[in-house]
């Protein structure tokens, strides 16, 4: 995670150095930079810090404080029985060994998820997570059975949202500014009225 974060901050430095016009002095986020270190916190620690806030409010609070965080352990409920920080598939990654990278977006000032990753399930975690989810019958499915029978190698994985990363580095407030999409006329007009140029540009027909 720290290596990934270093690459992201290096990318920001490269953009600022080589393409300073992206952050003109008049831009509201011109002086804002990502923190060089990412803060690690477990979902339980995050809940304990902000017990009266809901999930997204907690995430907003922690990224507002640190700028960038990696929340560890997504899937299990809190120790007091409160809802999990995030619902995760029981057969994907180990809920004790996964997490998300979140930042405070400089423009929207809202929590902005960049990546979700984790150590994949093993025999013990997949059985426990299927049982907790009320899906024990799915243990007989080919992939799940292969994990339980230990016929697959241990692995890890995850993904970085490229469009989300571009939104962060290029300081755009709408994902449609960095990727092509199909937008409802009303949404397209709302974006245009707000000064947001989303892709593809087109003429609205009344």
């Amino acid at each position: 995670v720290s290596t990934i974060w270093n690459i992201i901050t290096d990318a920001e430095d490269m953009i600022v150095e080589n393409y300073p016009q992206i952050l003109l002095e008049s831009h509201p986020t011109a002086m804002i930079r990502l923190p060089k270190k990412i803060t690690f916190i477990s979902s339980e620690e995050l809940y304990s810090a902000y017990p009266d806030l809901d999930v997204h409010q907690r995430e907003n609070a922690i990224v507002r404080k640190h700028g960038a965080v990696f929340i560890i352990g997504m899937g299990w409920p809190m120790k007091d029985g409160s809802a999990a920080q995030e619902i995760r598939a029981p057969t994907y990654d180990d809920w004790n060994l996964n997490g998300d990278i979140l930042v405070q977006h400089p423009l929207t000032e809202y929590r902005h998820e960049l990546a979700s990753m984790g150590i994949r399930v093993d025999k013990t975690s997949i059985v426990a997570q299927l049982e907790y989810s009320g899906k024990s019958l799915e243990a007989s499915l080919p992939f799940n059975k292969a994990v339980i029978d230990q016929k697959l190698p241990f692995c890890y994985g995850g993904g970085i949202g490229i469009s989300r990363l571009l939104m962060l580095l290029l300081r755009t407030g709408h994902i449609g500014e960095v990727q092509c999409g199909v937008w409802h006329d009303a949404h397209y007009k709302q974006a245009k009225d707000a000064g947001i140029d989303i892709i593809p540009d087109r003429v609205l027909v009344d």
Side-chain angles (χ1 to χ4, degrees):
V1 172
S2 294
T3 299
I4 292 171
W5 185 249
N6 288 339
I7 293 170
I8 291 173
T9 57
D10 285 349
E12 181 187 55
D13 291 341
M14 185 274 292
I15 291 172
V16 171
E17 179 179 351
N18 293 285
Y19 306 98
Q21 66 274 19
I22 290 176
L23 292 180
L24 301 176
E25 290 185 6
S26 60
H27 194 281
T29 70
M31 303 306 294
I32 299 176
R33 297 291 180 270
L34 297 171
K36 291 302 182 183
K37 298 292 184 181
I38 190 168
T39 297
F40 292 83
I41 187 170
S42 72
S43 58
E44 188 69 43
E45 289 170 335
L46 179 58
Y47 173 70
S48 296
Y50 305 102
D52 297 326
L53 302 182
D54 65 26
V55 170
H56 280 181
Q57 289 172 338
R58 290 199 294 269
E59 292 175 348
N60 276 323
I62 198 67
V63 296
R64 192 176 298 118
K65 180 178 181 180
H66 296 289
V69 298
F70 184 73
I71 302 176
I72 305 167
M74 314 283 266
W76 290 112
M78 302 297 110
K79 291 178 180 178
D80 67 359
S82 298
Q85 181 68 22
E86 186 174 279
I87 302 300
R88 301 292 265 259
T91 58
Y92 187 54
D93 47 23
D94 187 323
W95 293 346
N96 293 311
L97 300 172
N98 62 2
D100 290 348
I101 295 176
L102 289 95
V103 301
Q104 181 178 34
H105 191 287
L107 191 60
T108 67
E109 298 183 341
Y110 192 71
R111 44 88 65 192
H112 189 72
E113 183 179 323
L114 294 179
S116 178
M117 60 191 72
I119 307 297
R120 295 297 182 243
V121 288
D122 61 9
K123 175 181 179 179
T124 301
S125 59
I126 193 173
V127 169
Q129 291 170 192
L130 280 171
E131 181 178 352
Y132 172 77
S133 303
K135 298 180 178 180
S136 293
L137 291 177
E138 293 184 11
S140 62
L141 296 176
F143 172 80
N144 300 343
K145 188 174 187 304
V147 172
I148 293 169
D149 292 342
Q150 298 179 292
K151 293 182 178 180
L152 296 176
F154 294 116
C155 63
Y156 65 92
I160 297 175
I162 298 302
S163 294
R164 289 170 175 264
L165 182 58
L166 289 174
M167 285 180 66
L168 174 69
L169 296 177
L170 302 181
R171 310 293 172 85
T172 68
H174 192 295
I175 199 168
E177 295 176 270
V178 297
Q179 72 172 35
C180 186
V182 178
W183 313 105
H184 189 279
D185 281 354
H187 183 83
Y188 184 83
K189 184 178 186 306
Q190 184 182 35
K192 276 292 189 182
D193 291 345
I196 297 173
D197 294 319
I198 60 177
I199 309 169
D201 197 7
R202 58 191 172 92
V203 177
L204 283 174
V205 179
D206 293 330

